Amino acid sequence: MSRKVIKIPQAKQNAPIENQQLRVAAYCRVSTRHEEQYHSLETQITYYTNNIKRNPN
């Protein structure tokens, strides 16, 4: 069986990534349901929420 490789060129972007408006998502998780893990989850959520809100882009 013959396979064909199609090369997709990188899209040209005029603005640096720092100046582009991006859609982001944060992924927070804990490995167990133990009570002490809830603090870790809250800390992760707070960190990512603040980091995303600080950046206007």
Side-chain angles (χ1 to χ4, degrees):
M1 178 189 326
S2 169
R3 295 183 187 216
K4 185 176 182 180
V5 176
I6 299 172
K7 182 177 179 181
I8 301 172
Q10 179 179 359
K12 301 282 183 189
Q13 297 180 359
N14 296 332
I17 192 84
E18 295 84 15
N19 298 336
Q20 294 180 25
Q21 187 172 21
L22 303 175
R23 295 179 67 181
V24 299
Y27 176 73
C28 303
R29 71 177 292 272
V30 293
S31 56
T32 65
R33 292 182 183 243
H34 294 290
E35 186 67 32
E36 60 268 9
Q37 291 285 308
Y38 287 114
H39 176 69
S40 174
L41 181 61
E42 289 173 0
T43 302
Q44 291 177 62
I45 291 170
T46 300
Y47 171 79
Y48 286 114
T49 300
N50 291 337
N51 206 3
I52 291 168
K53 285 182 177 180
R54 258 197 319 268
N55 187 338
N57 293 330

